[in-house]
Amino acid sequence: RLFLKQYFFLASTIKNKDSDAYKVVYTLLKQKQCIFLTNHLHSTYSIVQGDSLVHHYIGSFVAHISCVPLYLSEQLYVTFLHALGVQDKLNICHLIELLKKCFNSQQRSCNPDDPNSKEIHKKLYHELVSQLRQDSEACKQISRSQDPLPLPDKTLQLMPATDLVLNDATWYQTRLMQCSAYKFVSRPPPRNDGQVTLPSCLKVQCLSELVVELLDPETLNSYNRCEADLRREQLDTDDSASLGGCEYSDTFIQLIESEKFANGLRRIIHHKNPGKPISQAHEDCIQRIQDLNVKCVKAIQTFLQHKSSGKIPHSNDSKVPCYLDKTHEPHILYVVFHPAAVTIEYEQLLSQIVNCFDKVLMDVDKHCLQDILNGQDPDKIDVILDRMKITPFDPANQTEGDLPEGKVTDLKNDLELLLMYNFEKGDLVKFCAPDLITARVLEVKEENLERDYPFPPTLKLKVDPEGADDEETLYMNSLLVS
């Protein structure tokens, strides 16, 4: 009663956060133990700091740990409690502290499988992940901590995060069930883009970083190759494409090598990143897809291997529909096109091919890509994307001029321009193409030819949309740029 009278007086005095009374209470009491809590179950009490409490909490188990007591829950006390440091909801510090308390309680509990406790573990975990995704500074602080946080496993039992693995390669799951000692973390809430990941500061290892899928050497034997595909390769002539190969792989290759397919990928990327030019990184990914060496095979067998040790027993799979071998340049895509191409399994095959593409591409919607592959015709791509309401995009009219942001290009200068100025690495130049473009000279390649006059060099430039206002800029006349 004594505490409540004091709280009532102070709360009645504070009108708003701009009042002098609020500032006095905030200055004198925010870091002080001044809120009286009672535990009726054990007939005990405690006096705590305001920043250890919240107005709203997750579940009944958390209520007696860190919630504002009921006698201060009226609207009258809201501003007063803010002055004491009480939060409106659980923040990252609260969530971490609560997970640690739950972990200690679980270790002492006679019933660690209590469903109510497990539900609390899950809610605290999801809230922590959601808040960390929006707070990079908190992530940095957690990364510096030596002690792993307790997080729930698949059964919602709390374990040190460093003992857990995120199953980001679910297609390996059945192959690992009988031969793996991995403890998987509870599935986190998806990000806004649908990706299921965890902030790196939580120090949970990803399955894809621990296990690698390798191609069984038997797959590479000539008797496992599609005869038509192999026959065309063996001809090895400029006209081999016209001599006929596997009809299914031919159709697929013609599709992904087409300019309309590349523009379709650019359109999907632009739709996910409106207002931004297609970056050079995106262009490189698109080129890797178009450069794929596609091989049609009768069957694909793979096995799993720990990256830190050897082959995982009993992890062979002889029914893999496709496999991307990234150890070669260009990458090799092995595909079992038939009989899948003439059965209902073709949709499943395309889904797996899209997963292979996803290892190379960035910012591409898998559903859009699968529909494009299913259409099998470059002329249908725009129609398919229109139907899926993907924003139209003309790669010839990017906002930063004809050259993508960060693109490295070579420009040859004529004799007059060369004699006007000796270019050096690091120079900042501007030229018209057709809009005014700012670029950085990365390299000056001198031509070493026996001539009676100096031969113009080639400038290797990198487009720099930001420019450098405080640096001297060389203006190159567009008439002097070939």
Side-chain angles (χ1 to χ4, degrees):
R1 290 179 180 178
L2 176 63
F3 276 91
L4 184 56
K5 286 183 179 180
Q6 302 297 326
Y7 297 150
F8 180 80
F9 170 75
L10 292 173
S12 302
T13 305
I14 297 175
K15 302 301 181 184
N16 54 59
K17 291 186 177 182
D18 295 326
S19 65
D20 292 337
Y22 180 92
K23 296 175 183 177
V24 171
V25 172
Y26 180 88
T27 303
L28 297 178
L29 298 180
K30 185 181 179 183
Q31 302 296 328
K32 304 296 184 182
Q33 294 176 323
C34 58
I35 298 183
F36 185 86
L37 294 181
T38 58
N39 187 329
H40 297 291
L41 184 63
H42 299 96
S43 300
T44 60
Y45 71 88
S46 58
I47 301 176
V48 301
Q49 288 185 196
D51 57 11
S52 66
L53 303 178
V54 292
H55 282 295
H56 307 290
Y57 53 89
I58 302 175
S60 57
F61 178 66
V62 184
H64 72 274
I65 295 179
S66 63
C67 183
V68 167
L70 288 176
Y71 63 82
L72 293 177
S73 61
E74 298 178 16
Q75 187 64 30
L76 170 67
Y77 297 103
V78 171
T79 306
F80 165 64
L81 292 172
H82 282 163
L84 299 183
V86 175
Q87 306 291 315
D88 286 328
K89 65 175 185 177
L90 292 169
N91 59 27
I92 291 174
C93 292
H94 292 140
L95 294 166
I96 292 174
E97 188 62 31
L98 288 170
L99 281 169
K100 290 179 178 179
K101 289 183 177 180
C102 290
F103 182 53
N104 293 333
S105 297
Q106 174 186 288
Q107 291 181 309
R108 296 192 303 267
S109 175
C110 299
N111 182 22
D113 293 323
D114 175 40
N116 292 328
S117 296
K118 287 186 174 184
E119 185 63 22
I120 293 301
H121 300 166
K122 178 180 177 180
K123 289 182 177 180
L124 290 172
Y125 166 59
H126 282 203
E127 183 66 21
L128 176 64
V129 171
S130 298
Q131 290 195 32
L132 284 175
R133 286 173 178 163
Q134 303 172 27
D135 193 336
S136 57
E137 285 303 316
C139 284
K140 291 178 182 178
Q141 293 179 13
I142 293 174
S143 297
R144 289 192 286 266
S145 173
Q146 299 298 318
D147 298 326
L149 299 178
L151 297 177
D153 64 8
K154 286 197 306 182
T155 66
L156 298 179
Q157 294 275 10
L158 292 176
M159 295 181 61
T162 49
D163 294 344
L164 294 170
V165 173
L166 174 65
N167 188 3
D168 63 338
T170 53
W171 47 92
Y172 295 157
Q173 188 164 339
T174 55
R175 300 166 68 174
L176 292 171
M177 287 180 64
Q178 298 179 347
C179 54
S180 171
Y182 292 134
K183 294 285 186 180
F184 291 113
V185 70
S186 175
R187 186 177 176 84
R191 299 188 316 192
N192 292 335
D193 59 5
Q195 296 291 318
V196 180
T197 62
L198 282 173
S200 59
C201 62
L202 293 179
K203 302 174 184 175
V204 176
Q205 299 180 87
C206 293
L207 182 62
S208 59
E209 297 173 354
L210 299 172
V211 172
V212 61
E213 182 181 28
L214 298 178
L215 195 65
D216 192 295
E218 289 292 316
T219 303
L220 306 179
N221 288 330
S222 57
Y223 60 76
N224 187 49
R225 293 293 307 280
C226 165
E227 289 84 355
D229 219 32
L230 185 61
R231 186 164 55 250
R232 182 179 57 187
E233 284 185 14
Q234 291 172 340
L235 290 173
D236 193 23
T237 67
D238 294 337
D239 297 327
S240 61
S242 62
L243 296 176
C246 171
E247 59 177 305
Y248 304 113
S249 61
D250 281 356
T251 301
F252 180 80
I253 292 170
Q254 289 169 10
L255 173 65
I256 66 172
E257 289 184 349
S258 69
E259 185 61 24
K260 291 182 178 180
F261 179 79
N263 286 336
L265 294 180
R266 292 185 183 103
R267 181 174 170 181
I268 298 170
I269 293 169
H270 181 262
H271 180 78
K272 293 192 70 175
N273 301 274
K276 297 181 181 179
I278 304 298
S279 69
Q280 185 59 34
H282 284 122
E283 290 289 349
D284 291 343
C285 292
I286 293 172
Q287 191 61 51
R288 287 193 197 99
I289 291 296
Q290 294 198 288
D291 290 343
L292 282 174
N293 183 2
V294 180
K295 295 181 181 292
C296 183
V297 293
K298 297 176 183 178
I300 298 174
Q301 179 164 299
T302 63
F303 61 90
L304 301 182
Q305 178 174 301
H306 295 293
K307 287 187 177 180
S308 59
S309 55
K311 180 178 178 180
I312 300 176
H314 313 297
S315 65
N316 286 22
D317 187 349
S318 59
K319 296 182 179 180
V320 179
C322 60
Y323 178 83
L324 180 65
D325 184 354
K326 298 173 69 175
T327 62
H328 295 80
E329 285 295 342
H331 299 339
I332 301 175
L333 180 66
Y334 296 93
V335 186
V336 184
F337 275 113
H338 44 92
V342 291
T343 68
I344 195 171
E345 295 177 358
Y346 191 55
E347 289 284 342
Q348 299 172 3
L349 170 63
L350 292 182
S351 175
Q352 294 302 315
I353 291 176
V354 168
N355 285 335
C356 287
F357 280 13
D358 191 49
K359 297 175 183 177
V360 179
L361 289 167
M362 302 183 298
D363 296 324
V364 173
D365 187 294
K366 290 185 178 182
H367 297 294
C368 293
L369 186 52
Q370 183 164 340
D371 280 4
I372 288 175
L373 296 178
N374 196 28
Q376 300 184 355
D377 185 351
D379 293 330
K380 294 180 180 178
I381 292 176
D382 279 336
V383 176
I384 292 171
L385 296 181
D386 287 342
R387 186 177 67 244
M388 301 189 78
K389 299 180 179 179
I390 302 300
T391 308
F393 174 65
D394 183 357
N397 293 313
Q398 296 200 69
T399 57
E400 295 294 343
D402 292 334
L403 298 173
E405 178 183 356
K407 182 179 178 65
V408 175
T409 185
D410 287 344
L411 291 177
K412 287 193 174 181
N413 307 280
D414 69 5
L415 177 61
E416 182 181 0
L417 183 60
L418 172 67
L419 298 178
M420 287 169 50
Y421 186 81
N422 293 322
F423 291 99
E424 296 180 358
K425 181 179 178 181
D427 284 344
L428 198 68
V429 300
K430 288 187 178 178
F431 61 95
C432 294
D435 298 327
L436 194 63
I437 300 294
T438 305
R440 183 78 61 180
V441 177
L442 297 183
E443 182 182 353
V444 181
K445 295 187 272 187
E446 298 284 355
E447 299 286 354
N448 186 18
L449 299 176
E450 294 182 0
R451 304 253 184 188
D452 295 333
Y453 53 87
F455 196 80
T458 296
L459 297 186
K460 191 174 185 181
L461 305 176
K462 184 171 183 180
V463 176
D464 182 7
E466 301 295 331
D469 295 336
D470 58 342
E471 295 184 46
E472 181 181 357
T473 304
L474 303 170
Y475 284 86
M476 300 165 59
N477 191 311
S478 61
L479 297 177
L480 302 177
V481 178
S482 59

